[in-house]
Amino acid sequence: MYIDRMLRLIAGFFVMLSVAMAHLHSINWLWFTAFIGLNLFQSAFTNWCPMMTILAKAGVPKLPPSCGCK
């Protein structure tokens, strides 16, 4: 799996987890949902996301080796 797909997987999981925690535990978990949304929003403009930096340092490849992309 590559960074872009892994990022969407992690963001989706965190959103679902925080909504479930808000429902089951405390409404304050929705602040975590808002934090995720804010990070996704700013990454659309800056092309930088903290999770992408973490995934890159963890060795997750950016693109498939045979995609023909630059």
Side-chain angles (χ1 to χ4, degrees), residues 2-40:
Y2 304 101
I3 282 183
D4 62 336
R5 297 189 79 178
M6 184 76 75
L7 177 67
R8 283 180 261 164
L9 176 78
I10 292 168
F13 174 75
F14 280 161
V15 167
M16 290 188 308
L17 177 68
S18 63
V19 169
M21 292 299 288
H23 178 72
L24 297 171
H25 186 270
S26 170
I27 195 83
N28 288 326
W29 278 96
L30 293 178
W31 288 108
F32 186 58
T33 308
F35 174 74
I36 296 164
L38 182 63
N39 273 301
L40 290 170

Side-chain angles (χ1 to χ4, degrees), residues 38-57:
L38 182 63
N39 273 301
L40 290 170
F41 183 77
Q42 71 83 25
S43 73
F45 293 103
T46 64
N47 201 28
W48 178 81
C49 175
M51 183 57 73
M52 287 181 79
T53 304
I54 293 168
L55 291 172
K57 287 184 180 182

